[in-house]
Amino acid sequence: RRIENQTNRQVTYSKRRNGLLKKAHELTVLCDAKVSIIMISSTQKLHEYISPSTTTKQVFDQYQKAVGVDLWSSHYEKMQEHLKKLNEVNRNLRREIRQRMGESLNDLGYEQMVNLVEDMDNSLKIIRERKYKVLSNQIDTGKKKVRNVEEIHRNLVLEFEGDPHYGLVENEAGDYNSVLGFPHGGPSIITLRLPPNHHPNHHASLH
């Protein structure tokens, strides 16, 4: 009967497995037999033994010849059927791609053409929404960079205004003119920014 205690069951399996593998090895050495053993425990662990003179596949091939059955035919047929379905899906996808590019349209009926147009309109809508999202993100990033530059500029203005020898003077247009002064009543250098439409008719002397 089945051993109910899991620990005892595992111990018994381990002992009898080792005994079985030992007997298989003895049959291989003493009797020149080709032995293949495959065991899967209740915990899904695989244990196997194969005689050194053969392989598991060779043993299965000899088994098929002796019994007259094909162990792989049903599995091969399933694989072929699955491959056939995949090829059909691949052909349909390629045809849809060509139709979306304006090709292979001769076999389409009116309803199919209408459905194709609707699908392409929906695709274009999704693409446009994504484009506007990307553009909006780029605009937001640009605005953040501008704000950072403005913040740096304001900090520089405050720093210069705190310097008794260097400052910025704001004119009516909102621009800044640089004023550099030397201590102890020394000469001053003033840099003026003239408007673009200003054309002086004479040279001005600055003192």
Side-chain angles (χ1 to χ4, degrees), residues 80-96:
Q80 288 294 104
E81 185 66 23
H82 183 63
L83 179 61
K84 182 179 179 181
K85 292 180 180 179
L86 291 178
N87 289 333
E88 182 66 20
V89 172
N90 184 51
R91 284 192 295 269
N92 292 336
L93 290 175
R94 289 179 178 272
R95 184 174 60 252
E96 290 182 8

Side-chain angles (χ1 to χ4, degrees), residues 164-166 180-188:
H165 308 312
Y166 186 81
L180 177 62
F182 292 90
H184 309 297
S188 298

